[in-house]
Amino acid sequence: MGTQPRIVERAEQPFVGVRGRVTWSTFGLIADRLPEIVGLLGERGITPVDGPFFKYELIDPSDQDRELEVVAGVPVHERVRLPSADLFAGSLPAGRYATVHHVGHPDKLLGVASSLLKWGHAKGLKWDMVRTEGGEAWGCRLESYHTDPRLEPDLDKWEIELSFRLADQARVTPDRI
């Protein structure tokens, strides 16, 4: 269950995160770092702006055993300094995003993502993504969680938003040089 895809304009969003290389079977290694990030923010009196997210920087949807490059992050109001070497402050890029809201178990997200990509293709949209030998390298492909698992343990009731950044239509192309 979810909404129809739509295009939204997003402002730049500061966050605190951690980057890792994982497979689908070892995804917990990066996901389990989110409580650490939230705890660090709490110790510093910083309140998250929204729920946590995963930013897929390199993904090969056709190969479930291939390594992914993922950022697990928590959005904040402004950039912060961090004492940890592996945690970092970053910003999600501003731009136009194709989004879809999903209510249900996270294990359904690959199908939701596939539907969003097909919808975008049918609309003639261009993604902020390039294909590489390692898979799809994305400028910003987000999976944002809007349900607090401490308050709603039933994964079938979780609210999750997928947001895939569209390619900037103003980029310099060979015919504009």
Side-chain angles (χ1 to χ4, degrees), residues 106-118 162:
D107 67 3
K108 305 283 188 225
L109 289 174
L110 284 177
V112 175
S114 177
S115 294
L116 179 59
L117 292 167
K118 287 176 186 172
L162 298 183

Side-chain angles (χ1 to χ4, degrees), residues 4-177:
Q4 291 296 315
R6 61 191 179 106
I7 297 174
V8 299
E9 188 77 29
R10 293 175 61 128
E12 182 177 19
Q13 177 63 65
F15 71 88
V16 173
V18 61
R19 179 176 284 111
R21 294 180 66 92
V22 295
T23 63
W24 289 113
S25 62
T26 63
F27 200 85
L29 294 173
I30 193 87
D32 292 346
R33 300 290 305 273
L34 288 169
E36 174 188 350
I37 296 168
V38 172
L40 175 73
L41 294 174
E43 290 170 7
R44 297 169 144 241
I46 300 169
T47 304
V49 174
D50 203 348
F53 64 82
F54 298 109
K55 178 177 179 261
Y56 296 89
E57 295 183 330
L58 184 66
I59 183 173
D60 185 349
S62 68
D63 186 350
Q64 298 295 305
D65 296 323
R66 190 171 232 175
E67 210 169 47
L68 313 160
E69 290 180 20
V70 182
V71 172
V74 177
V76 294
H77 288 286
E78 58 190 33
R79 216 165 167 86
V80 298
R81 290 181 179 254
L82 298 169
S84 174
D86 68 335
L87 296 181
F88 68 96
S91 289
L92 299 173
R96 292 184 329 128
Y97 287 75
T99 68
V100 66
H101 187 82
H102 169 71
V103 177
H105 201 290
D107 67 3
K108 305 283 188 225
L109 289 174
L110 284 177
V112 175
S114 177
S115 294
L116 179 59
L117 292 167
K118 287 176 186 172
W119 174 84
H121 179 72
K123 297 280 185 188
L125 302 177
K126 304 285 186 234
W127 305 109
D128 183 11
M129 180 268 296
V130 293
R131 296 186 196 285
T132 70
E133 286 184 21
E136 298 172 351
W138 284 81
C140 197
R141 178 177 170 151
L142 295 175
E143 182 178 298
S144 302
Y145 287 77
H146 300 298
T147 302
D148 186 334
R150 296 170 299 182
L151 303 176
E152 180 53 74
D154 184 350
L155 279 74
D156 290 320
K157 296 180 180 176
W158 281 15
E159 295 185 34
I160 306 161
E161 183 177 71
L162 298 183
S163 301
F164 296 0
R165 189 166 187 251
L166 299 174
D168 182 358
Q169 302 303 314
R171 287 188 181 163
V172 175
T173 58
D175 59 356
R176 290 188 177 183
I177 296 177

